[in-house]
């Protein structure tokens, strides 16, 4: 993930803070993966940025890809509920919930995990959806349906990439990817930051 973060940081002129969830990557020895740990991890990362480094909520953007969409939706809804919504949210190949990846239940069933569809209506930050139309792991329509649950003023124009799968952003679409991320920042994020600095 480091090369991708470095690429985005350089191309967009932003700072990126990345971390591993408990049970994944460099944190495999920290415990078993769970929704509870993922939520605790994203909260700890946010708290470090917001309280230790003194970065205001409106200057923090969350980027959740696939599984990361769960903790990101959770935190975006939580900060909105607390009255200090994060500055923005980018959801790359998000799912409605874990169970709904394999079974469309129509509602959140007991035991389901990362029910993004339940958090999304409470998000009060501009949300950009990115999804490949050929995603064979998380169905593309999950992004379309999640987009519908976001309140209108917070919906950025989605980036749905024809023929892109789940696990990579091919070099051929990277210019489009960066262009749309820059457009999202220029349209939805930077004007708000400038206004707050006046």
């Amino acid at each position: 993930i480091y090369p991708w973060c470095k690429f985005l940081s350089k191309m967009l002129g932003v700072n990126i803070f990345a971390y591993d969830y408990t049970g994944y990557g460099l944190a495999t020895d920290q415990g078993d993966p769970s929704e509870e740990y993922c939520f605790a991890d994203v909260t700890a990362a946010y708290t470090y940025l917001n309280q230790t480094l003194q970065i205001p909520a409106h200057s923090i953007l969350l980027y959740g890809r696939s599984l990361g969409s769960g903790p990101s939706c959770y935190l975006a809804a939580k900060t909105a509920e607390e009255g200090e919504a994060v500055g923005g949210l980018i959801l790359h190949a998000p799912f409605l919930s874990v169970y709904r990846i394999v079974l469309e239940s129509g509602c959140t069933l007991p035991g389901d995990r990362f029910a993004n569809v339940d958090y999304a209506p409470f998000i009060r930050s501009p949300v950009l959806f990115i999804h490949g139309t050929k995603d064979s792991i998380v169905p593309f329509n999950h992004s379309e349906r999640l987009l519908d649950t976001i309140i209108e003023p917070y919906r950025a124009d989605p980036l749905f990439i024809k023929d892109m799968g789940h696990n990579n952003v091919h070099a051929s679409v990277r210019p489009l990817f960066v262009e749309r991320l820059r457009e999202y920042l220029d349209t939805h994020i930077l004007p708000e930051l400038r206004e707050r600095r006046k």
Side-chain angles (χ1 to χ4, degrees), residues 33-115:
S34 72
E35 181 184 58
E36 180 183 357
Y37 281 146
C38 286
F39 288 171
D41 293 338
V42 75
T43 301
Y46 174 76
T47 300
Y48 174 75
L49 293 173
N50 183 248
Q51 294 180 12
T52 304
L53 297 183
Q54 299 287 299
I55 299 171
H58 63 265
S59 294
I60 298 173
L61 277 67
L62 307 176
Y63 187 127
R65 186 188 158 281
S66 193
L67 174 69
S69 66
S72 295
C73 281
Y74 161 79
L75 186 63
K78 181 176 183 262
T79 58
E81 184 180 307
E82 293 170 351
E84 283 198 56
V86 293
L89 173 62
I90 299 168
L91 295 174
H92 183 164
F95 45 75
L96 293 165
S97 72
V98 170
Y99 282 5
R100 288 177 178 95
I101 294 172
V102 293
L103 170 71
E104 181 42 62
S105 59
C107 64
T108 302
L109 298 172
D112 201 354
R113 299 287 183 257
F114 303 111

Side-chain angles (χ1 to χ4, degrees), residues 4 8 62-70 72 89-95 116 127-132 135 138 143 159 161 164-170 177 181:
W4 179 242
L8 286 179
L62 307 176
Y63 187 127
R65 186 188 158 281
S66 193
L67 174 69
S69 66
S72 295
L89 173 62
I90 299 168
L91 295 174
H92 183 164
F95 45 75
N116 294 337
V127 183
L128 171 64
F129 286 88
I130 301 168
H131 214 125
D135 192 328
V138 176
S143 275
L159 174 57
I161 302 175
M164 186 175 84
H166 185 77
N167 283 319
N168 51 32
V169 177
H170 293 290
F177 198 92
L181 285 175

Side-chain angles (χ1 to χ4, degrees), residues 5 8 26 41 45 47 57 62 68 70 80 101 105 128 132 137 139 141 147 156 160 164-165 169 178 184 188 191 195:
C5 290
L8 286 179
L26 297 175
D41 293 338
T47 300
L62 307 176
I101 294 172
S105 59
L128 171 64
I137 295 173
N141 72 8
L147 177 62
F160 296 147
M164 186 175 84
V169 177
V178 169
Y184 167 74
H188 298 282
E195 186 62 31

